[in-house]
Amino acid sequence: MPLVTFVQEGSAVDYTPNADVEAGDVVVQNDLVGVTKRKIPANTQGALHVAGVFDFPKATGASTAIAAGVEVFWDVADAEAKTDSETGANKLIGKTVAAAGDNDATVRVRMSQ
């Protein structure tokens, strides 16, 4: 009898929220960070995307630029991507695939966890 059974590719995983989740919401479950592509009603199974390239919101203004090829983390409280893990409080999203300037409201990230 096999010890392991293949379930799915893994770029998206099943997710059933307790409350409605809008398309484009970031969901953090412990160290797993995912993005919903479509709205998922409460108590209904949907997909949480944990791989791929997404534009995440980031802060704007002086000294908020993020370079290409650096790790970024999701800050739940501020609802934005940051380069600081804040001692583990912010969860790893992945690495940036393009630089984002001080005036850019988003940063492009290849999710990897």
Side-chain angles (χ1 to χ4, degrees), residues 42-93:
N43 305 310
T44 303
Q45 188 177 62
L48 187 61
H49 295 268
V50 295
V53 178
F54 293 85
D55 288 339
F56 283 85
K58 66 171 261 318
T60 57
S63 301
T64 62
I66 300 176
V70 299
E71 287 186 335
V72 288
F73 302 83
W74 183 250
D75 184 320
V76 172
D78 293 339
E80 61 190 22
K82 296 182 174 180
T83 57
D84 184 1
S85 74
E86 295 180 6
T87 316
N90 299 338
K91 302 305 178 184
L92 178 66
I93 303 170

Side-chain angles (χ1 to χ4, degrees), residues 20-44:
D20 289 354
V21 179
E22 297 299 321
D25 278 356
V26 177
V27 176
V28 177
Q29 296 177 310
N30 295 310
D31 287 334
L32 180 67
V33 179
V35 177
T36 57
K37 285 187 182 177
R38 293 184 174 84
K39 180 177 181 174
I40 307 172
N43 305 310
T44 303

